[in-house]
Amino acid sequence: MNSRLFIVIPCYNEEEVLPITSKMFLEELEDLIHKGKISDNSRILFVNDGSKDKTWEIIENLAAENPHFIGMSQSRNRGHQNALLGGLMTAKEYADMTISLDADLQDDINAVDRMIDAYYEGNDVVYGVRSSRKKDTCFKRGTAHLFYKLMSFLGADIVYDHADYRLLSKRATENLLDFDEVNLFLRGIVPMVGFQSTTVEYERGERFAGESKYPLGKMVTFAFEGITSLSVKPIRMITIGGLLICLISLIMLIKSFVDYFNGNVVPGWASIMVSIWVLGGLQIFAIGIIGEYIGKTY
């Protein structure tokens, strides 16, 4: 017991949220310390992801007022996943376990208590999983379900309805270093780390203030990053598509010969069409083969 906990919180333009949620983070941390579940040396680590507002100034003030608050600032905006990973890599040098969640506290902070209980039960990874999506719009709920089904179809080992709210033990965090990913998609990489894991359900709420940092455009980009980072199935689908087109071209060739001998063809039509189908199929197939080699090196 009394393990040291670091709560890692990526922040990008959160000046409206931090004055409210920082108090809630501190209350939770102090309550856990009072219960004897974590060490008094535990910390709340804010990672400033190149914010353009007063986010870093607020973090500096919080750190000056209370030793449980600490902060780090990236030289520029590098994206949520890079900010989160940077915080985790910093925290692993000092913490026995880390918990990551967003500054807006849509993720229920009360689940932290249960995550720590699961950690002491022997789990190195504890995933925070939404119990329902009733508060989402029909469009967002539908696209989210489509995303998880698509990821599963493409062979990605991903926890359904889990974002980046999770607990990692020290050794689980250290093993993240084995993945030299450039295009980060942590919710897909963490399950590949291994070790004993479990889930904790929670009800997701509304933002306390500010605007969502993930509008539709960013969500689509993020989903594309996840698919291309974790699966080579799209490449294989291209390869198979090329083979199918080549097969169809052979069928067209046979049909063209039959039509030619039956006199049911315009002169030159068969040779042009078959050439287009054969060359098109071979080109797509060749792209697929090249993609397979790139996928293996990646």
Side-chain angles (χ1 to χ4, degrees):
M1 301 292 275
N2 288 330
S3 294
R4 193 177 189 189
L5 167 69
F6 266 52
I7 300 177
V8 180
I9 307 160
C11 303
Y12 178 67
N13 293 345
E14 299 288 5
E15 66 176 3
E16 295 181 51
V17 167
L18 279 181
I20 303 171
T21 58
S22 60
K23 296 177 182 177
M24 301 173 69
F25 284 121
L26 184 59
E27 287 175 3
E28 179 66 21
L29 191 77
E30 290 177 340
D31 182 57
L32 291 168
I33 293 171
H34 179 72
K35 290 178 180 177
K37 288 191 173 184
I38 59 175
S39 164
D40 185 55
N41 290 325
S42 298
R43 297 290 183 265
I44 299 166
L45 171 59
F46 293 110
V47 183
N48 178 42
D49 186 24
S51 298
K52 298 176 182 178
D53 60 5
K54 296 181 179 180
T55 295
W56 180 239
E57 182 181 330
I58 293 171
I59 294 172
E60 287 182 311
N61 291 335
L62 289 171
E65 293 169 3
N66 193 303
H68 286 124
F69 288 121
I70 56 175
M72 59 177 283
S73 185
Q74 302 197 117
S75 60
R76 61 176 177 83
N77 177 246
R78 299 176 184 272
H80 178 274
Q81 296 291 280
N82 282 291
L84 177 54
L85 183 63
L88 292 174
M89 292 303 102
T90 300
K92 76 177 179 62
E93 301 297 329
Y94 310 98
D96 300 302
M97 54 179 160
T98 59
I99 291 179
S100 59
L101 72 166
D102 292 337
D104 58 18
L105 266 185
Q106 285 185 277
D107 298 320
D108 184 10
I109 196 170
N110 293 315
V112 167
D113 210 306
R114 287 177 285 143
M115 286 182 170
I116 293 173
D117 288 339
Y119 165 78
Y120 285 125
E121 289 169 4
N123 294 286
D124 286 279
V125 184
V126 184
Y127 300 101
V129 176
R130 295 178 63 171
S131 57
S132 71
R133 286 185 172 270
K134 294 178 182 178
K135 295 181 180 179
D136 287 349
T137 62
C138 291
F139 176 77
K140 189 170 184 180
R141 184 164 54 247
T143 53
H145 288 165
L146 177 63
F147 168 73
Y148 285 109
K149 288 179 181 179
L150 180 61
M151 293 297 290
S152 179
F153 170 75
L154 293 174
D157 183 14
I158 190 168
V159 179
Y160 199 82
D161 277 341
H162 164 69
D164 287 302
Y165 189 15
R166 70 179 73 87
L167 179 148
L168 295 173
S169 69
K170 186 179 183 68
R171 67 170 180 169
T173 309
E174 288 175 340
N175 273 264
L176 274 177
L177 291 173
D178 294 337
F179 297 87
D180 298 323
E181 293 291 331
V182 176
N183 302 309
L184 286 173
F185 187 72
L186 290 175
R187 68 185 71 177
I189 297 174
V190 170
M192 298 169 66
V193 170
F195 301 123
Q196 184 172 321
S197 65
T198 188
T199 60
V200 167
E201 290 191 349
Y202 68 94
E203 187 73 25
R204 188 172 171 84
E206 301 291 336
R207 285 180 63 92
F208 284 91
E211 298 178 353
S212 172
K213 303 303 183 296
Y214 270 93
L216 179 60
K218 281 193 175 181
M219 288 176 64
V220 172
T221 301
F222 188 57
F224 185 75
E225 290 283 358
I227 291 169
T228 54
S229 295
L230 297 173
S231 177
V232 294
K233 275 195 175 182
I235 296 172
R236 289 175 183 164
M237 290 167 68
I238 292 172
T239 308
I240 293 169
L243 283 173
L244 288 174
I245 292 174
C246 287
L247 179 62
I248 292 171
S249 69
L250 291 175
I251 295 172
M252 288 293 293
L253 179 63
I254 294 170
K255 181 180 182 301
S256 297
F257 275 118
V258 172
D259 288 342
Y260 176 79
F261 287 113
N262 290 333
N264 298 326
V265 67
V266 178
W269 181 88
S271 59
I272 292 173
M273 293 306 295
V274 170
S275 297
I276 291 173
W277 278 85
V278 170
L279 290 174
L282 289 174
Q283 286 174 341
I284 296 172
F285 178 69
I287 290 171
I289 294 296
I290 294 169
E292 283 286 339
Y293 280 98
I294 293 172
K296 289 183 186 300
T297 58
Y298 183 68

